[in-house]
């Protein structure tokens, strides 16, 4: 077994669990708002349907602002330090949500929560690009983003029980504190780059750095962010991710309320049913990332999954309230399909842009996703309140996913150059 293979095993065992847990905690404090609303926060603080939609969306407006600066800091200085402080701040803000005495407090808390968490995703993607090779990156990205559906899966169940045992205030307090504690574990165990890791041998460090440099040498140089942001590929991917995020976060933020209204079940049963789409998401994300890395084909896996999600939403709309369980099954498929291609999607940019600008480009794309999330979270809640049911929002989410799938077809497929091929050329 080569030194690089030994180092690879060490990297997966040490770093991926840390990355997964960190992003899981970020998503926990982002997505539990929907359960707070369904569990009595709206009634206690006299939050109207319109205000509730705006509060859900306000997070993503804050999330928009510091994506690119966060990626820049992570690339030039330290992803480790940036994520450490983000963990402490977002955990504190999530806990403060449970202490709010009026809706006026929720406006700055939700906005600042978005601001603090805005740096996490691009910083994590930069961090993984420093540690994992091209042939590993889709799977590494997937284990990062798996923190999203896995968290919502267990959070959906746990939150139902917490709301039944306590109330919405304790829901936010209990689910906010772990991020603060985890910050110190993260800081102790993580290194920004292979050369800083004491748990790798000197030869393993050299092999890792040399292989990563070979990958960079195969890419066309791009001078700065301005040049990268004007790239047709980056522009198309930004619009694509905007439309995709409309569907995802319209779904995530309002699924508990939609299920509770359609089924008339209690909050615990609603929590169990809300976990279904995320169980399928975990399975489909792992499968797609595996085959994406095997084939180095990113684009096909992305557009086909989004098309399946659009069709499932439309099918659920056509059924309406005539068959709850079949409609629910289609929602499970829609949720799983929307999440499935995240790993391949975020592997595209590091394969077409060099490291000096790839982090910034991913941050720009992710910030456009934040705007799409704002639109999805707000308008899905607004349409549900306006029409008294989820039908109009299903069409809205289906349309956004269909457009996203079509835009993916416009992305130029990056040249397939494996590490083995580059080693053959260099020799």
């Amino acid at each position: 077994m080569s030194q690089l293979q030994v180092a690879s095993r060490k990297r997966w065992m040490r770093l991926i669990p840390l990355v997964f847990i960190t992003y899981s905690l970020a998503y926990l404090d982002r997505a539990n708002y929907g359960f707070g609303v369904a569990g009595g926060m709206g009634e206690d603080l006299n939050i109207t349907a319109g205000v509730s939609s705006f509060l859900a969306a306000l997070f993503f407006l804050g999330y928009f602002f510091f994506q690119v600066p966060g990626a820049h800091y992570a690339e030039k200085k330290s992803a480790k330090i940036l994520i450490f402080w983000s963990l402490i701040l977002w955990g504190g803000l999530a806990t403060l949500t449970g202490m709010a005495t009026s809706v006026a407090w929720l406006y700055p808390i939700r906005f600042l929560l978005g601001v603090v968490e805005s740096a996490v995703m691009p910083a994590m993607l930069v961090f993984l690009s420093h540690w994992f090779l091209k042939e590993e990156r889709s799977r590494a990205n997937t284990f990062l983003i798996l923190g999203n559906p896995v968290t919502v899966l267990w959070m959906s169940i746990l939150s139902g029980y917490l709301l039944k045992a306590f109330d919405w205030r304790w829901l936010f307090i209990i689910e906010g504190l772990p991020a603060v504690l985890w910050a110190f574990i993260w800081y102790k165990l993580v290194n920004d780059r292979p050369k800083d890791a004491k748990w790798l041998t000197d030869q393993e460090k050299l092999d890792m750095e040399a292989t990563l440099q070979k990958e960079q040498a195969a890419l066309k140089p791009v001078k700065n962010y301005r040049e990268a942001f004007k790239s047709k590929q980056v522009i198309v991917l930004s619009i694509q991710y905007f439309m995709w995020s409309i569907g995802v976060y319209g779904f995530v933020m309002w699924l508990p309320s939609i299920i509770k209204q359609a089924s008339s079940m209690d909050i615990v049963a609603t929590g169990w049913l809300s976990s279904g789409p995320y169980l399928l998401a975990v399975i489909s994300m792992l499968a797609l990332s595996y085959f994406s890395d095997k084939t180095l084909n990113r684009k096909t896996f992305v557009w086909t999954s989004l098309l399946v999600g659009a069709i499932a939403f439309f099918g659920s709309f056509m059924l309406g309230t005539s068959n709850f369980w079949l409609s629910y099954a289609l929602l499970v498929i829609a949720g799983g399909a929307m999440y499935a291609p995240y790993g391949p999607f975020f592997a595209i940019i590091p394969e077409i842009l060099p490291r000096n600008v790839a982090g910034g480009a991913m941050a720009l794309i992710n910030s456009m996703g934040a705007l799409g999330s704002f639109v999805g979270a707000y308008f899905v809640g607004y349409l549900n309140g306006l029409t008294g049911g989820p039908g109009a929002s299903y069409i809205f989410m289906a349309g956004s996913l269909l457009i996203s799938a079509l835009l993916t077809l416009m992305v130029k497929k990056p040249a397939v150059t494996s590490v083995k091929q580059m080693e053959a050329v260099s020799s």
Side-chain angles (χ1 to χ4, degrees):
M1 184 179 292
S2 70
Q3 290 289 330
L4 189 58
Q5 289 173 316
V6 173
S8 177
R9 182 173 295 179
K10 289 181 181 178
R11 286 180 289 119
W12 283 98
M13 295 298 293
R14 184 181 179 97
L15 297 178
I16 290 300
L18 297 173
V19 165
F20 172 80
I21 293 171
T22 302
Y23 197 64
S24 293
L25 292 172
Y27 213 81
L28 169 66
D29 292 332
R30 178 188 314 181
N32 58 7
Y33 175 80
F35 274 92
V37 172
M41 182 169 68
E43 292 85 349
D44 288 353
L45 300 183
N46 297 315
I47 303 173
T48 65
V51 170
S52 182
S53 297
F54 183 70
L55 284 168
L58 195 58
F59 169 92
F60 299 106
L61 194 59
Y63 194 75
F64 172 77
F65 283 103
F66 291 97
Q67 297 275 325
V68 175
H72 182 75
Y73 184 92
E75 181 63 58
K76 300 299 182 182
K77 294 188 178 180
S78 174
K80 169 183 173 176
I81 292 173
L82 181 62
I83 293 169
F84 168 77
W85 286 109
S86 296
L87 277 160
I88 291 174
L89 290 172
W90 90 57
L93 286 165
T95 300
L96 280 176
T97 304
M99 302 177 184
T101 55
S102 71
V103 70
W105 282 101
L106 295 180
Y107 290 109
I109 289 173
R110 291 295 297 174
F111 180 78
L112 290 173
L113 187 65
V115 170
V116 170
E117 287 195 22
S118 66
V120 177
M121 181 65 166
M124 280 293 195
L125 291 169
V126 168
F127 175 79
L128 291 176
S129 73
H130 292 165
W131 278 98
F132 292 91
L133 308 178
K134 179 177 180 178
E135 294 169 339
E136 306 169 316
R137 211 160 280 147
S138 178
R139 283 169 291 158
N141 290 343
T142 291
F143 278 106
L144 164 67
I145 302 168
L146 269 177
N148 176 324
V150 169
T151 299
V152 181
L153 194 161
W154 63 259
M155 181 204 72
S156 297
I157 298 168
L158 175 65
S159 295
Y161 283 109
L162 285 175
L163 287 168
K164 187 173 183 178
F166 302 104
D167 61 12
W168 65 269
R169 292 187 181 279
W170 280 105
L171 168 74
F172 287 109
I173 293 170
I174 292 171
E175 292 183 351
L177 290 175
V180 179
L181 301 175
W182 181 256
F184 298 93
I185 298 173
W186 165 267
Y187 191 83
K188 177 70 175 176
L189 297 179
V190 166
N191 303 103
D192 276 302
R193 297 174 187 269
K195 65 182 179 63
D196 303 320
K198 294 180 180 179
W199 44 274
L200 291 176
T201 66
D202 290 341
Q203 188 60 51
E204 288 167 352
K205 294 176 187 179
L206 289 173
D207 289 346
M208 274 295 304
E209 295 288 351
T211 306
L212 289 166
Q213 286 303 319
K214 285 179 183 178
E215 290 184 354
Q216 292 298 301
L219 298 172
K220 180 182 176 182
V222 179
K223 289 191 298 184
N224 51 39
Y225 283 163
R226 178 178 295 181
E227 184 176 332
F229 293 173
K230 291 193 295 184
S231 161
K232 179 183 176 183
Q233 301 280 71
V234 173
I235 293 170
V236 171
L237 287 169
S238 296
I239 301 171
Q240 186 264 19
Y241 197 50
F242 173 87
M243 301 305 300
W244 181 0
S245 298
I246 287 176
V248 171
Y249 283 94
F251 182 84
V252 169
M253 298 305 293
W254 298 110
L255 182 64
S257 296
I258 289 171
I259 290 177
K260 192 169 187 294
Q261 180 183 6
S263 66
S264 300
M265 296 181 182
D266 67 17
I267 195 66
V268 172
T270 297
W272 277 98
L273 289 177
S274 296
S275 70
Y278 305 105
L279 178 59
L280 179 60
V282 171
I283 297 168
S284 57
M285 287 176 74
L286 289 170
L288 259 68
S289 67
Y290 174 82
F291 289 110
S292 174
D293 276 347
K294 284 293 184 183
T295 63
L296 291 182
N297 184 350
R298 316 300 189 189
K299 175 176 160 181
T300 300
F301 290 106
V302 175
W303 77 261
T304 53
S305 297
L306 297 177
L307 182 61
V308 168
I311 293 169
F313 269 129
F314 184 74
S316 192
F317 163 75
M318 293 298 291
L319 284 172
T321 58
S322 63
N323 189 324
F324 169 77
W325 288 110
L326 184 54
S327 179
Y328 169 74
L330 288 170
L331 286 181
V332 170
I333 294 170
M338 283 191 296
Y339 276 100
Y342 271 121
F345 178 79
F346 280 109
I348 292 173
I349 286 296
E351 293 177 4
I352 62 177
L353 291 174
R355 181 178 293 169
N356 65 308
V357 294
M362 287 189 291
L364 176 68
I365 292 166
N366 203 44
S367 67
M368 291 303 294
L371 285 183
S373 303
F374 177 89
V375 173
Y378 180 76
F379 276 100
V380 168
Y382 174 78
L383 288 171
N384 290 345
L386 182 68
T387 63
S393 62
Y394 289 174
I395 290 294
F396 179 57
M397 290 186 281
S400 69
L401 291 178
L402 178 60
I403 294 170
S404 183
L406 294 174
L407 286 169
T408 308
L409 293 171
M410 297 173 59
V411 177
K412 185 179 178 182
K413 184 179 179 181
V416 176
T417 307
S418 68
V419 172
K420 291 179 181 178
Q421 288 172 321
M422 287 188 289
E423 288 175 346
V425 170
S426 63
S427 62

